[in-house]
Amino acid sequence: MANLDICFNSDGNRFLTSSYDKGIKCWDSKSGNVISEFTTEDLPFVVKFHPDMQNVLLSGMSTGAILRWDLRVKEPNQIYDQHVRSVNFITFVDRNRSFLSSSSDKSLILWKFEVPQVLNYIRESHAIQTMSLHPTLNCLAAQTTDNKIIVYRSQGLKYRPIH
């Protein structure tokens, strides 16, 4: 079955895959064995390990929901549900206390990780397909579906486009 996404944990000893069979698998990097696997109700378009909690992951779903999972439980224990179309990308920010998500609904949302609280909501004219944080500056670059790059600067817990 073809994969939708793949993501290593912070020390590289495990990685996640999500696939069109609605499955998420956690793999051992050395042996190639599946450590944990579970099936979701919808397509998990994106998967991301929490950088500091190696049994915790987020999955961005085709429905727009973002599910927080504990690999030991194999059940979602939190739902972030403000997007109305598929989630395209997830990245952790603010020393991993928050995360950003982009969606085909043309929104960029900054979430508080521990609770499903929206800290910042940005509506764009085109969907953001992918984004990358600058390693030292408080900004990120995002690529939209109209082949444009938007740079956002962090102002506390708010992100604003730089024009």
Side-chain angles (χ1 to χ4, degrees):
M1 184 60 61
N3 288 322
L4 293 164
D5 197 22
I6 189 164
C7 171
F8 279 97
N9 67 352
S10 58
D11 63 11
N13 66 355
R14 294 188 289 169
F15 63 95
L16 298 169
T17 58
S18 63
S19 61
Y20 283 103
D21 65 359
K22 300 180 181 178
I24 297 173
K25 292 181 182 178
C26 179
W27 303 77
D28 180 270
S29 296
K30 280 189 172 183
S31 70
N33 294 327
V34 175
I35 299 168
S36 182
E37 64 182 301
F38 43 98
T39 303
T40 61
E41 292 182 21
D42 302 298
L43 289 176
F45 277 3
V46 59
V47 287
K48 189 71 77 174
F49 272 111
H50 188 284
D52 301 326
M53 297 181 235
Q54 295 305 300
N55 286 312
V56 176
L57 69 109
L58 295 176
S59 63
M61 308 304 288
S62 58
T63 60
I66 299 169
L67 306 178
R68 184 174 79 188
W69 303 81
D70 185 319
L71 289 172
R72 299 163 293 195
V73 179
K74 298 184 183 180
E75 294 288 329
N77 56 18
Q78 189 69 260
I79 299 173
Y80 306 83
D81 64 352
Q82 292 296 308
H83 291 298
V84 294
R85 294 190 63 203
S86 61
V87 176
N88 297 330
F89 199 81
I90 295 171
T91 190
F92 284 88
V93 296
D94 185 33
R95 291 184 230 153
N96 306 322
R97 296 179 296 210
S98 305
F99 67 93
L100 286 161
S101 62
S102 68
S103 168
S104 294
D105 66 9
K106 304 176 186 175
S107 66
L108 176 67
I109 298 178
L110 176 65
W111 302 89
K112 185 170 182 157
F113 177 73
E114 291 298 325
V115 294
Q117 178 184 358
V118 173
L119 301 172
N120 191 195
Y121 180 95
I122 299 172
R123 181 87 172 149
E124 289 294 346
S125 56
H126 291 86
I128 294 171
Q129 289 298 110
T130 188
M131 56 186 149
S132 181
L133 292 171
H134 190 280
T136 58
L137 301 177
N138 288 327
C139 67
L140 67 100
Q143 182 176 354
T144 62
T145 54
D146 66 339
N147 291 322
K148 296 215 165 99
I149 303 296
I150 301 172
V151 177
Y152 296 88
R153 178 156 319 272
S154 171
Q155 298 168 334
L157 289 178
K158 299 285 184 183
Y159 280 83
R160 302 270 187 247
I162 300 171
H163 295 285

